[in-house]
Amino acid sequence: MELTQSILNDLLEQIAAPSGSLYLSLDTDPHMLVDRLADRYGAPRTLVLDGFTDPTADESRGAALLTVLKGRGETIRVWAYGGQWIGAGTARDAQGVVRPVLAAAPRRVQVPSTGGIRRDEDWVERLIAITAWTSPPKRPDMDWSQIEAEVGTPLPSDYKRMVETFGEGAFDGYLTLNQEPWTHLREDGLLIWASTEHENLYCWQTEDGSDPDCWTVAVRTFDDDVALFDCSAAEFICRILLDAHHPFTMARYFDSHWFLNYRESE
């Protein structure tokens, strides 16, 4: 079976909400199935390999798919997507035949509310909770001394922790976290740490000699306006994920949030 993104959409729609599985024809290449989903949802997590389930699998790691597949998984890769777990690979059908399979299950994340936020909050830890991030640090060995020398300034500590923790990817598959900040083409004093598919640039308004942890977040929009926010980068992301009334909110699109990882490092 040829697996275009359009055909993949049709297959996903055949899975009865909120959870279910779909065994595919034996001529379907399970590796191609996983690759097509990875193009859409990023690098997957391995839930089952050669019939053995990841011993760390729990609700935060896609274990809901094990119930959907009735323990028949042979090799299953999983992705978080909003309030869903998506799984694909191979599993034994009711007759014991190993076949390509596609599955979905509800993903439940206890998203912290916007109430009770303190200015001394550990915003990176809050971001980990919001996205239910359970993977090991993706880039713990970043050479920040070299990067800061190239950029020409020390960088905020929360930004460095985000890069080390999450690695290369995008929050909700939308806000891409730069692995190294880059400057705007114009001399406007803005240092860019993230961007979106809508061409918004998330920056810091830098000042020579100032404490990077006190830099203001500046959003340069696609129409070249600049909006300033007195908060750190991690706090800014937390607020746009949770606050539906924020001018750059992402909360209206998903009730549960995730980080789409671009690289598989497991």
Side-chain angles (χ1 to χ4, degrees):
M1 178 193 297
E2 181 183 4
L3 280 172
T4 64
Q5 291 293 344
S6 176
I7 290 175
L8 189 57
N9 286 338
D10 292 340
L11 293 175
L12 288 168
E13 288 178 1
Q14 292 178 44
I15 297 176
S19 65
S21 60
L22 180 66
Y23 285 88
L24 308 180
S25 61
L26 289 173
D27 64 347
T28 302
D29 183 347
H31 299 291
M32 182 62 69
L33 176 63
V34 169
D35 287 346
R36 288 288 179 266
L37 287 165
D39 289 341
R40 180 181 301 192
Y41 300 125
R45 177 191 298 278
T46 299
L47 181 64
V48 183
L49 183 62
D50 296 332
F52 295 95
T53 299
D54 177 0
T56 67
D58 58 17
E59 189 170 307
S60 69
R61 296 170 182 256
L65 289 166
L66 297 173
T67 302
V68 171
L69 293 169
K70 300 179 181 178
R72 297 172 179 163
E74 285 293 307
T75 297
I76 302 295
R77 315 288 185 182
V78 300
W79 296 262
Y81 178 71
Q84 268 193 315
W85 288 107
I86 305 295
T90 56
R92 295 187 179 276
D93 63 16
Q95 286 72 46
V97 178
V98 177
R99 296 172 56 186
V101 69
L102 187 61
R107 175 175 175 261
R108 297 180 177 87
V109 179
Q110 293 296 111
V111 177
S113 71
T114 55
I117 290 178
R118 308 185 314 272
R119 291 314 301 260
D120 62 347
E121 188 98 28
D122 185 328
W123 294 103
V124 177
E125 287 299 321
R126 192 173 180 89
L127 195 52
I128 290 170
I130 291 169
T131 58
W133 183 255
T134 58
S135 297
K138 294 298 181 183
R139 306 196 68 181
D141 301 322
M142 294 287 289
D143 188 346
W144 292 114
S145 297
Q146 179 180 340
I147 292 171
E148 290 173 332
E150 293 173 353
V151 175
T153 178
L155 296 170
S157 56
D158 71 314
Y159 163 76
K160 291 188 283 189
R161 285 179 61 201
M162 283 194 295
V163 171
E164 291 169 359
T165 301
F166 293 98
E168 186 175 358
F171 293 96
D172 285 10
Y174 174 77
L175 189 153
T176 298
L177 180 65
N178 291 358
Q179 301 301 280
E180 300 179 16
W182 48 284
T183 56
H184 198 267
L185 296 177
R186 296 181 302 176
E187 296 298 326
D188 54 10
L190 299 182
L191 191 60
I192 302 164
W193 54 269
S195 60
T196 72
E197 61 185 36
H198 290 169
E199 300 182 12
N200 289 336
L201 299 177
Y202 296 86
C203 320
W204 295 290
Q205 189 174 53
T206 63
E207 295 181 13
D208 291 340
S210 62
D211 181 356
D213 289 333
C214 297
W215 285 348
T216 296
V217 168
V219 180
R220 181 175 289 282
T221 65
F222 70 93
D223 54 4
D224 229 21
D225 288 336
V226 175
L228 301 179
F229 298 88
D230 183 18
C231 62
S232 69
E235 178 180 351
F236 179 83
I237 296 176
C238 287
R239 290 187 181 276
I240 66 175
L241 290 177
L242 296 178
D243 185 356
H245 302 293
H246 193 285
F248 294 94
T249 185
M250 294 158 63
R252 69 185 62 165
Y253 303 112
F254 296 98
D255 294 326
S256 297
H257 304 282
W258 78 104
F259 186 80
L260 186 157
N261 180 28
Y262 291 159
R263 295 183 182 179
E264 185 172 11
S265 60
E266 299 177 283

